[in-house]
Amino acid sequence: MSVVSGRAVRDLHTDPFGERRSVHAPLSKQLLGGRFHFQSDSAALLALVEAAYGGLPPHRLPGQIPEFEIELKLLPGRSLRPVHEPPPVRMQAGAGMLCGVINAMNYVAISPAQRQALVVVSQDMLRFPYHLRYELIEFAVFILAARSQGLIPLHGACVGRQGRGVLLLGHSGAGKSTLALHSLLQGLDFLSEDAVLVQPENLLATGVANYLHMKDDALGLVDEDACRWIRYAPVIRRRSGVEKFEADLRNGPGRLAAAPLKLVGAVLLSSQLADHPAQLLRAVPADQIAARLSADQPYAAGQPGWLHFKQKLVDLGVHELRRGACPQDSVDALRQLLA
């Protein structure tokens, strides 16, 4: 039988839900069209928030800026066995709540209607800062931003110039991050490499340009300075087992998109090599666009606003982009769409 101290017993009686914990000075960040307020009883958790969102361009969408609240709680003690990564997140939903659950001491609960989220983690989860940030904190931010503002959540990248943007779509491993990197190095504005949120009414795209994830074998055609910047970055390990450098875009070369980009098109990346630089771009027939977009974005295809968004892209036109002999060719093809 375990022994509980008198102080712990009194705390359980007077504050069984842990509502009276002292909190550190809150952080406020404007991103993804909203203003997010983070509060926590843990300086370490707020430091992860700052690492994720500090120094980013404050993106704003048309209309009133929504306010969001995210509370982060740190629980003492161990809830994870000494492994190389925490258990996978399990998704659950009900009663207007969306949840991502690792275990009883590590989870996120999100209420889009109330524009609030609670992130709870155990002390030993701090040993996995990438998973904690990406799968719990950033998960809450993106879900709140998308669901509360009616944005279309896309798994893709986005680059642009002079306020105009083009979506880079395709399956994992298609080369979205690599093309986004070369676009950045060759003067285009960088919006996102992994997740893009789009306002379906006006096709304004926003994202979080904090980190770039690159495999070592994708750096062969990157110039020496950029290669050094990426290879000095920490290495993270995806759930798939793939290891990638996580380079901080805020400390690297190039320019981050200062505001949401107006989409002027989308490209589906192909692994097929083009015979000639002039043949990289091929217009997808209009009667195939809807099916190909839905197949490429199965989660987004089930969200409100998808049909309107999809029709907008059909009207704009979608292209397939084959691989060029060198990255410059692919970036030049994107410039054609952005002209």
Side-chain angles (χ1 to χ4, degrees), residues 5-23:
S5 70
R7 173 62 182 275
V9 171
R10 286 194 298 273
D11 287 346
L12 287 174
H13 285 314
T14 61
D15 186 21
F17 297 101
E19 298 171 279
R20 302 176 189 171
R21 296 187 180 204
S22 60
V23 297

Side-chain angles (χ1 to χ4, degrees), residues 10-326:
R10 286 194 298 273
D11 287 346
L12 287 174
H13 285 314
T14 61
D15 186 21
F17 297 101
E19 298 171 279
R20 302 176 189 171
R21 296 187 180 204
S22 60
V23 297
H24 293 264
L27 294 177
S28 293
K29 303 293 180 184
Q30 186 170 317
L31 61 149
L32 298 174
R35 185 173 292 115
F36 288 80
H37 304 288
F38 300 87
Q39 67 173 9
S40 180
D41 57 357
S42 166
L45 292 179
L46 289 176
L48 282 176
V49 172
E50 186 64 33
Y53 302 123
L56 289 174
H59 283 196
R60 176 176 180 175
L61 295 168
Q64 186 175 2
I65 302 176
E67 306 275 343
F68 300 101
E69 295 183 3
I70 298 181
E71 183 175 353
L72 304 104
K73 283 191 174 184
L74 183 64
L75 301 181
R78 299 181 61 84
S79 68
L80 302 172
R81 290 179 295 176
V83 292
H84 64 275
E85 67 179 16
V89 177
R90 300 186 303 275
M91 306 299 180
Q92 299 178 8
M97 303 286 291
L98 300 172
C99 301
V101 180
I102 292 177
N103 59 27
M105 295 178 68
N106 295 279
Y107 59 88
V108 54
I110 307 165
S111 173
Q114 296 182 348
R115 297 178 178 173
Q116 295 179 322
L118 171 66
V119 178
V120 177
V121 299
S122 59
Q123 184 75 35
D124 53 334
M125 187 68 182
L126 294 176
R127 293 187 291 115
F128 306 100
Y130 166 72
H131 294 284
L132 169 52
R133 190 194 75 234
Y134 186 74
E135 297 180 347
L136 296 179
I137 298 175
E138 295 192 21
F139 175 69
V141 167
F142 273 88
I143 289 292
L144 283 175
R147 294 293 180 96
S148 300
Q149 298 180 98
L151 306 180
I152 303 298
L154 300 170
H155 177 219
C158 184
V159 297
R161 63 190 296 268
Q162 298 179 346
R164 296 157 63 86
V166 60
L167 281 173
L168 311 180
L169 305 176
H171 60 82
S172 295
K176 298 184 294 293
S177 296
T178 302
L179 180 53
L181 168 63
H182 286 285
S183 299
L184 173 77
L185 298 178
Q186 294 179 37
L188 295 185
D189 295 341
F190 191 105
L191 183 87
S192 177
E193 64 124 12
D194 184 57
V196 181
L197 300 184
V198 181
Q199 204 168 48
E201 300 82 17
N202 50 29
L203 292 187
L204 280 175
T206 183
V208 175
N210 49 8
Y211 297 105
L212 176 74
H213 299 94
M214 297 292 300
K215 292 195 297 184
D216 185 74
D217 60 9
L219 302 179
L221 298 176
V222 176
D223 68 70
E224 183 177 344
D225 289 340
C227 196
R228 186 181 304 111
W229 161 58
I230 294 172
R231 285 204 167 110
Y232 282 173
V235 175
I236 60 94
R237 188 174 186 271
R238 297 282 202 190
R239 290 287 186 178
S240 63
V242 174
E243 293 187 343
K244 294 187 176 185
F245 295 105
E246 186 175 60
D248 194 328
L249 289 158
R250 295 156 291 186
N251 300 326
R255 184 173 56 242
L256 306 184
L261 299 177
K262 174 79 171 182
L263 294 181
V264 296
V267 297
L268 293 162
L269 302 188
S270 169
S271 59
Q272 186 174 354
L273 187 66
D275 295 330
H276 189 274
Q279 300 175 344
L280 264 66
L281 277 178
R282 182 184 73 88
V284 176
D287 61 352
Q288 297 179 17
I289 292 177
R292 293 191 63 175
L293 287 176
S294 295
D296 186 72
Q297 301 290 325
Y299 173 69
Q303 300 303 306
W306 170 256
L307 294 179
H308 186 49
F309 166 74
K310 185 171 60 175
Q311 186 57 51
K312 288 266 191 176
L313 283 188
V314 171
D315 295 341
L316 283 179
V318 174
H319 290 77
E320 183 180 80
L321 179 64
R322 298 181 180 181
R323 293 184 184 272
C326 67

